[in-house]
Amino acid sequence: MKKKQPTSVVTGAAGFLGSHLADLLLARGHKVIGIDNFVTGSVDNISHLGGSPNFKFIEQDVTEFIFLDAPVHYVWHFASPASPIDYLELPIQTLKVGSLGTHKALGVAKIKDARFLLASTSEIYGDPLVHPQTEDYWGNVNTLGPRGCYDEAKRFAEALTMAYHREHKVETRIVRIFNTYGPRMRLNDGRVVPAFISQALKNKPVTVFGEGKQTRSFCYVSDLIEGIYRLMMSGYDLPVNIGNPTELTMLQFAGQIIRATGSRSKIVFKPLPQDDPKQRRPDITRARKILKWEPKVPLADGLTQTIKYFKTKV
Ligand code: UDP
């Protein structure tokens, strides 16, 4: 007998990660119902799916009740502002989508008897005192600082996900996403990858915050989405870090972007934003063991693809 075509709901489907996830699900034979209210997402990220008979789009704020009359097998909850300047500008929407939006998305999974995956974040570790970050580290978050709205919303979302798992027996997955980059990032979202690349492409000063000693580890989007897909399909219900463990300082990163773009830009130093994590690198032992996953795309190759995309946008 032919296997039934699964239906996936993706909240935040017009966002950077949500749209890449929708592409992968469609390629793997899912029907996809995308939901987005375009607060930070863009129609450009999904316009290529317009003609697909397997893609349906609903423009909606997921903090409102989500009504779907079709059967649903998987719910992927990706809706949220996700860059520091976005959640600085939208602190209440960020808290609402992490709390009320997660509640509505879990409600869909519960009523449809669907499996649920929460897009959580390395931000739940705050400015981490354990390095690299393992999933059993509880984090170091300033609830009152400018990043608190995002960090605490995601921490609440994890707690609510576990509550639905324990109380309502919903099958749940939690991915903690580390810094990710690739085509479809918003040019002006303030994150370091679009900021440095657009500055370098325009031969404008590249703005390194602080002394540039803080570290991050960047995962190319195709690697990340593959890891997340494997997690949903696995039988594992505790959080899993997905990210690339290659760590570098922001000063090194600025130099690499200038070289990769062949730019004449100089580096300038700007004040370090409050509560900017000093170091971040995922420990991916769990993902390697349980999902047989690790990133494959080297930074230089991922940057080539990303720079190509930004050249069409600058
Ligand atoms: N950053 C920078 N210059 C910029 C934008 C960001 O030096 O123009 C730094 C920022 O201070 C942080 C790192 O780059 O240490 C990554 O910032 P991003 O906003 O991409 O995300 P975060 O990892 O902090 O959530």
Side-chain angles (χ1 to χ4, degrees), residues 68-311:
L68 299 170
D69 51 10
V72 174
H73 305 93
Y74 301 100
V75 177
W76 312 73
H77 182 40
F78 277 66
S80 178
S83 89
I85 61 158
D86 284 345
Y87 47 77
L88 214 61
E89 260 172 41
L90 305 163
I92 296 171
Q93 283 97 323
T94 303
L95 280 156
K96 281 178 74 180
V97 76
S99 54
L100 306 176
T102 304
H103 184 227
K104 299 295 175 289
L106 277 162
V108 171
K110 177 173 166 242
I111 198 147
K112 302 287 185 185
D113 206 11
R115 196 178 282 182
F116 176 88
L117 181 141
L118 172 68
S120 185
T121 167
S122 55
E123 278 286 323
I124 70 111
Y125 301 123
D127 190 3
L129 305 177
V130 165
H131 193 73
Q133 292 77 54
T134 48
E135 289 89 347
D136 51 17
Y137 175 50
W138 291 352
N140 177 39
V141 171
N142 174 7
T143 57
L144 305 178
R147 302 171 86 107
C149 58
Y150 183 64
D151 302 10
E152 291 303 331
K154 291 290 189 181
R155 290 170 69 94
F156 175 90
E158 288 198 5
L160 191 63
T161 300
M162 290 313 289
Y164 265 65
H165 175 64
R166 295 194 182 108
E167 189 72 17
H168 294 312
K169 312 294 175 215
V170 174
E171 279 191 58
T172 56
R173 308 285 178 261
I174 297 173
V175 57
R176 292 189 181 144
I177 298 172
F178 283 66
N179 292 67
T180 305
Y181 69 102
R184 300 188 196 156
M185 291 189 97
R186 229 175 58 231
L187 199 60
N188 62 349
D189 87 353
R191 280 189 277 198
V192 69
V193 173
F196 283 3
I197 294 179
S198 58
Q199 290 161 347
L201 288 175
K202 292 188 239 167
N203 294 308
K204 293 224 168 112
V206 169
T207 54
V208 169
F209 295 164
E211 295 171 44
K213 286 185 183 153
Q214 69 277 32
T215 67
R216 293 295 185 273
S217 314
F218 297 99
C219 187
Y220 191 62
V221 63
S222 60
D223 278 335
L224 183 99
I225 298 295
E226 176 62 33
I228 291 174
Y229 181 84
R230 288 193 196 186
L231 175 61
M232 179 65 113
M233 299 307 156
S234 77
Y236 195 75
D237 50 39
L238 291 175
V240 178
N241 290 338
I242 298 283
N244 189 319
T246 308
E247 181 181 5
L248 71 174
T249 68
M250 290 308 96
L251 192 55
Q252 288 170 325
F253 191 50
Q256 182 159 358
I257 299 274
I258 291 171
R259 285 191 299 279
T261 48
S263 169
R264 296 189 305 278
S265 293
K266 296 273 171 293
I267 290 172
V268 294
F269 294 92
K270 300 265 176 186
L272 190 66
Q274 192 193 331
D275 296 339
D276 198 283
K278 286 184 265 315
Q279 50 183 2
R280 185 184 285 158
R281 169 157 65 103
D283 181 315
I284 59 164
T285 309
R286 193 177 276 183
R288 281 199 172 105
K289 188 160 162 240
I290 290 167
L291 311 177
K292 308 274 176 283
W293 175 89
E294 62 182 1
K296 292 197 163 54
V297 182
L299 185 58
D301 296 355
L303 284 179
T304 304
Q305 294 306 317
T306 311
I307 290 166
K308 203 158 86 184
Y309 171 79
F310 280 123
K311 276 186 179 161

